[in-house]
Amino acid sequence: MAIVSKIIDGKMYAGKLLEEIYPLSKGFFDNFNRKPSLTVIIVGDNPASKIYVKNKILIANKYGIDSKEIILASDVSEDKLIKHISTLNRDENVDGILVQLPLPKHISEKKIINIINPSKDVDGFHPTNFGKLFMGDSKFIPCTPLGCLYMLKHEIEDIKGKNAVIIGRSNIVGKPMASLLLSSDCSVTITHSRTKNIQEHTRKADILIVAVGIPEMIDETFIKPGAIVIDVGINRLKSKTKHNASDKGILVGDVKFENVLNTAKKITPVPGGVGPMTIACLMHNTVKAAYINKKHDFINILEGIL
Ligand code: NDP
């Protein structure tokens, strides 16, 4: 199989989804005389968070979504952050609220996520949305796992009955991913840092989702020949070229891409795999939030995915 056909093109899928979202954001404007709106709160100056937020805002603006960024100092108090969120919760012109994680240590992420109005929780992290996801009935599904499922459903003819193994059990990726794959009739195994003999599990995986946060941890010894590998990891390493002040380093995933390419049937690259899909799904959730907040039907453009 040619290398190129082995690569799951996340940029292409994201573009396809965004093209479907655009008429809905335009339709919202035609009906309600304003664009769907997303407000992103960023606390501190974590360079990676800044890049993610910048990308989200660029894409939002391109696809007919009004986006605002609230930048708070890294020493902002938890109370002040809560006040900002409460104001946004009450503002009927704000459809989606996203607090960029991670937050500084003195702020409880759990408390902050709990404060966001579940109808504006476009990240899908609020316990109401998270709980409903596991019952197969969520308004907002966390963007990264939703993006992974979107690509898998396009790449695999029949996902039912496949063995899916996830490495990582975070609330952001691993757990919601497990729920989505279970709802898609896969048999699901979640592994984590305390799992013994991880390869015994991963070598049985028809679908392997990797979300560990350790650069290039997964090599071909973890892979069942013919598996579909989704690499969620984003790790910024120092560039191998001569370092200079403007050097932003290189991005690598949690999977050793070149090494796994021969064994896997298909694999997502980093960058250009899960990342763009995460942003596209955020736009989907924001436009959906806008329609829901206006108590208007939202056309399900994810028919066949969810
Ligand atoms: P977390 O740090 O929250 O979770 C990492 C998980 O990996 C934990 O469950 C941990 O286990 C597990 N783990 C750690 N070390 C090992 C090991 N040696 N063997 C097996 N499991 C291990 O990370 P996230 O889920 O938030 O993110 C994971 C990666 O995905 C990161 O690189 C992050 O940057 C990236 N990411 C990318 C996104 C995108 O848009 N593409 C979006 C979100 C995240 P335990 O629970 O036991 O500690």
Side-chain angles (χ1 to χ4, degrees):
M1 189 184 269
I3 285 181
V4 71
S5 66
K6 283 194 154 206
I7 296 174
I8 302 175
D9 187 346
K11 260 191 183 167
M12 180 276 292
Y13 281 123
K16 178 176 150 57
L17 180 58
L18 288 165
E19 287 307 322
E20 289 181 66
I21 292 166
Y22 185 56
L24 300 184
S25 59
K26 209 169 155 297
F28 184 87
F29 181 84
D30 295 341
N31 267 301
F32 302 107
N33 209 23
R34 71 162 175 86
K35 294 177 180 176
S37 87
L38 170 69
T39 299
V40 181
I41 302 181
I42 179 165
V43 181
D45 52 9
N46 177 327
S49 294
K50 278 179 155 174
I51 295 172
Y52 298 148
V53 171
K54 193 176 139 215
N55 289 341
K56 286 168 185 171
I57 286 179
L58 275 173
I59 296 289
N61 293 338
K62 189 170 170 196
Y63 288 91
I65 296 166
D66 224 0
S67 61
K68 277 197 200 96
E69 190 182 4
I70 297 178
I71 304 169
L72 302 173
S74 57
D75 61 352
V76 69
S77 69
E78 191 175 84
D79 277 355
K80 196 157 181 200
L81 177 56
I82 288 172
K83 274 188 189 137
H84 274 285
I85 296 171
S86 303
T87 306
L88 297 170
N89 280 342
R90 285 192 303 272
D91 186 341
E92 59 181 37
N93 289 321
V94 172
D95 300 307
I97 303 168
L98 184 152
V99 179
Q100 185 66 40
L101 303 178
L103 291 169
K105 288 207 165 54
H106 66 281
I107 299 177
S108 155
E109 286 186 0
K110 197 170 160 191
K111 202 165 169 185
I112 294 305
I113 289 167
N114 270 293
I115 294 292
I116 299 171
N117 177 347
S119 298
K120 301 188 178 194
D121 168 39
V122 286
D123 251 342
F125 297 159
H126 189 281
T128 300
N129 288 316
F130 205 75
K132 283 186 168 181
L133 168 65
F134 280 77
M135 299 173 84
D137 170 37
S138 185
K139 272 190 212 152
F140 302 116
I141 292 170
C143 304
T144 299
L146 178 57
C148 295
L149 186 71
Y150 185 93
M151 292 190 285
L152 286 171
K153 287 271 176 100
H154 281 87
E155 291 287 339
I156 301 175
E157 206 172 305
D158 189 4
I159 201 170
K160 289 190 193 80
K162 299 277 187 224
N163 274 340
V165 177
I166 302 162
I167 315 183
R169 57 175 163 179
S170 70
N171 289 341
I172 294 173
V173 188
K175 286 182 198 157
M177 190 72 244
S179 171
L180 289 175
L181 289 167
L182 200 55
S183 300
S184 304
D185 296 325
C186 290
S187 301
V188 183
T189 304
I190 308 183
T191 64
H192 45 78
S193 69
R194 306 298 168 93
T195 303
K196 296 202 169 76
N197 302 324
I198 250 189
Q199 282 144 313
E200 272 181 23
H201 299 279
T202 61
R203 281 205 217 105
K204 291 184 187 141
D206 303 312
I207 299 168
L208 181 65
I209 313 279
V210 188
V212 258
I214 301 178
E216 301 185 324
M217 174 184 143
I218 304 303
D219 64 18
E220 61 186 351
T221 63
F222 287 74
I223 312 292
K224 173 181 165 180
I228 308 277
V229 179
I230 304 288
D231 186 357
V232 179
I234 301 181
N235 308 287
R236 196 172 290 276
L237 302 183
K238 273 188 184 160
S239 164
K240 285 171 189 151
T241 59
K242 216 171 148 192
H243 190 74
N244 65 51
S246 62
D247 190 349
K248 290 186 183 143
I250 53 164
L251 287 186
V252 297
D254 292 346
V255 177
K256 239 181 212 166
F257 182 80
E258 302 288 344
N259 179 268
V260 164
L261 200 57
N262 272 333
T263 314
K265 184 174 180 196
K266 294 198 171 190
I267 179 170
T268 55
V270 179
V274 176
M277 273 312 298
T278 297
I279 298 183
C281 290
L282 174 64
M283 300 308 135
H284 167 270
N285 285 355
T286 301
V287 176
K288 186 174 181 182
Y291 279 92
I292 288 176
N293 292 335
K294 288 288 183 189
K295 302 195 173 24
H296 195 287
D297 286 343
F298 177 72
I299 299 164
N300 182 13
I301 53 172
L302 295 179
E303 189 100 48
I305 305 295
L306 294 171

